Amino acid sequence: MLSYQSAPVRTGLPQSATLAANERIRAIQATGESVVHLAFGEAGLPVLPEVAAALSAAATENSYGPTAGTEAVRAAAAGYLSRRGVPTEPDQIIAGPGSKPLLYALLTVLPGDIVLPRPSWVSYAAQAALAGKEVIWVDVPEHTGGVPDPEALENALLEARWKGQRPGVLVVTSPDNPTGTTPDAELVRQVCAVAERYGLVVISDEIYRDLAHDPDALLSPATVFPERTIVTTGLSKATALGGWRLGFCRIPATREGAQLRERLVGVASEVWSNPAMPVQTAAGYLLDEPTEVREYVRMGRDLHRRVVTEAHRLLVAAGASCRSPGGGFYLYPDLEPARRRVRLRSGMDLAEVLLTKYRVGVLCGEAFGDDPRALRFRMATSLLYGANDVQRWEALHSADPVALPWIADALNRLAEAVDDLTGGSTG
């Protein structure tokens, strides 16, 4: 039976698990030790020169701008979504300094508690706690992640209401972080149908949309439940500009959506004033998708797919169980066979052993809301592409990136560590 439970609201939070893991691994690497860094979801690609030139040309734009973003960037974002089958007008767009603060602002202004797939990205539950909301966890189906199991979702909503909770917002992700999977269209429709019956607002985090292995097969909840679906995305993943901090969200074109927009802009005006003006100008160029940007995204998608697929093959051969990747650069292996061979009590124990004994950095499943006892972890292959931009450009243009020495060595070290822990495919 798929399970669900509510998490208590926390008033104090530690540093984000992903950022803390990245800083710890970087500190080890700074001593000269080699670590296979799989614990951080940075896209790992060099900046496209034309995009850097667009930012440089806008460097003198130092005045404050509109809180929701300039008209140009909102029009570009609306066009970007419309080309993906989600018709959008500029007035439905709010830009911000990354999709992460936009997500938090949304959770603060939308009524009700937060319903999350388990596992799901580390910041959703943390942001809910900061917003004073309870979290209602619902397990994902066995074959995929990013959306809850529809039957378990309905049961969880009934249980939550019986307990006096007020489920109001369902957050879904496609392609998913942490599992690296993409839910099929019928599953998305079923989940949206449950959300509609129970009056939920859906936040569809589509930051990895352009990195789906088959982007045309991806179904956005905004196309089947448009009146109550908010889409969030940004520049961090497909265009590898995490440090630029530019994201945007799409609000439904309804009376309630207009009211939500007003509240969201109010929060934004008091927290970040407006997104950085030079970055908005460069983002407008990116979101208009000239030929060189489309080609860069295509090459990046191909690189991510090739490396994460090979990593999946090696993990399974080494004795792990793991969902097949469908997009992005994540995998979510389960090393349960290691429990019989090594004295491991939790996913945190497993992550610590991988780092201290094998110098392989991953993030334990507990950080994503998973059962702390489970020997599961999230890994990202995107930082394997090179130690510098020369190597990264070579990986991006390579016909066989997994044969490049620095990528092949990292993948082999991962496979050897898993094989040693599990006893291999026959262990």
Side-chain angles (χ1 to χ4, degrees):
M1 173 68 71
L2 294 166
S3 61
Y4 48 85
Q5 66 184 46
S6 298
V9 174
R10 295 177 292 173
T11 56
L13 293 175
Q15 182 183 17
S16 170
T18 53
L19 297 173
N22 182 56
E23 291 179 13
R24 181 183 180 191
I25 292 168
R26 293 300 189 194
I28 295 172
Q29 291 175 326
T31 68
E33 285 199 61
S34 174
V35 179
V36 179
H37 192 352
L38 305 170
F40 196 52
E42 189 170 310
L45 297 176
V47 177
L48 186 67
E50 291 87 346
V51 176
L55 180 65
S56 178
T60 58
E61 296 181 23
N62 65 336
S63 298
Y64 287 93
T67 298
T70 64
E71 184 177 350
V73 80
R74 289 187 291 108
Y80 166 90
L81 288 173
S82 296
R83 289 189 295 274
R84 284 154 179 79
V86 184
T88 304
E89 296 297 327
D91 285 348
Q92 293 177 255
I93 296 294
I94 298 176
S99 62
K100 195 170 182 178
L102 284 167
L103 282 162
Y104 175 64
L106 284 165
L107 296 186
T108 64
V109 301
L110 289 168
D113 294 321
I114 314 303
V115 184
L116 293 180
R118 181 168 52 197
S120 59
W121 181 47
V122 298
S123 290
Y124 298 142
Q127 290 188 353
L130 287 171
K133 309 291 184 72
E134 291 193 49
V135 171
I136 301 161
W137 292 102
V138 188
D139 288 343
V140 301
E142 291 185 0
H143 66 285
T144 191
V147 299
D149 178 272
E151 181 179 354
L153 174 60
E154 189 146 21
N155 291 337
L157 295 173
L158 290 169
E159 177 90 1
R161 288 183 174 181
W162 182 80
K163 290 179 177 178
Q165 295 173 304
R166 300 182 307 115
V169 182
L170 169 64
V171 183
V172 299
T173 313
S174 183
D176 181 39
N177 172 11
T179 67
T181 61
T182 302
D184 61 64
E186 180 55 28
L187 185 58
V188 172
R189 291 190 185 96
Q190 291 176 17
V191 168
C192 286
V194 176
E196 184 174 14
R197 284 198 298 275
Y198 286 83
L200 303 181
V201 170
V202 174
I203 297 177
S204 181
D205 184 349
E206 299 181 10
I207 191 77
Y208 297 95
R209 178 184 184 116
D210 290 344
L211 299 183
H213 295 173
D214 183 4
D216 293 336
L218 189 147
L219 179 67
S220 171
T223 64
V224 295
F225 190 33
E227 299 85 1
R228 295 179 67 82
T229 296
I230 301 160
V231 175
T232 64
T233 189
L235 306 185
S236 297
K237 306 307 176 182
T239 50
L241 296 170
W244 286 25
R245 310 312 304 139
L246 198 289
F248 60 91
C249 66
R250 175 195 185 271
I251 304 299
T254 61
R255 180 173 60 85
E256 293 80 5
Q259 294 170 348
L260 172 61
R261 185 185 191 281
E262 183 177 352
R263 295 197 298 272
L264 193 58
V265 168
V267 171
S269 71
E270 301 296 354
V271 177
W272 61 78
S273 297
N274 64 273
M277 292 294 286
V279 175
Q280 287 190 74
T281 298
Y285 165 81
L286 270 168
L287 293 168
D288 282 337
E289 299 184 287
T291 301
E292 59 272 16
V293 170
R294 292 198 304 272
E295 181 63 11
Y296 174 87
V297 171
R298 183 198 63 77
M299 290 192 300
R301 180 170 57 245
D302 289 348
L303 173 61
H304 295 314
R305 179 177 57 205
R306 183 71 181 89
V307 176
V308 80
T309 300
E310 177 64 7
H312 178 265
R313 185 188 70 80
L314 291 171
L315 282 168
V316 172
S321 60
C322 188
R323 294 175 174 90
S324 298
F329 35 75
Y330 298 116
L331 294 169
Y332 199 68
D334 188 330
L335 268 61
E336 183 59 31
R339 197 184 302 273
R340 299 192 301 269
R341 295 173 51 83
V342 185
R343 297 186 66 179
L344 297 173
R345 294 173 296 177
S346 67
M348 191 174 294
D349 284 351
L350 173 60
E352 189 67 17
V353 166
L354 281 168
L355 180 59
T356 57
K357 180 177 180 179
Y358 299 98
R359 285 303 192 232
V360 173
V362 301
L363 204 58
C364 67
E366 182 180 355
F368 302 91
D370 207 344
D371 182 346
R373 298 166 298 177
L375 300 185
R376 291 187 282 268
F377 60 85
R378 189 203 71 175
M379 52 167 280
T381 56
S382 49
L383 291 182
L384 304 184
Y385 304 148
N388 53 57
D389 277 356
V390 172
Q391 289 185 338
R392 296 181 191 114
W393 278 116
E394 186 173 353
L396 194 61
H397 287 90
S398 175
D400 189 14
V402 298
L404 294 172
W406 55 92
I407 296 178
D409 176 66
L411 292 177
N412 287 335
R413 286 175 60 187
L414 168 67
E416 289 167 2
V418 172
D419 182 85
D420 192 46
L421 287 167
T422 66
S425 58
T426 59

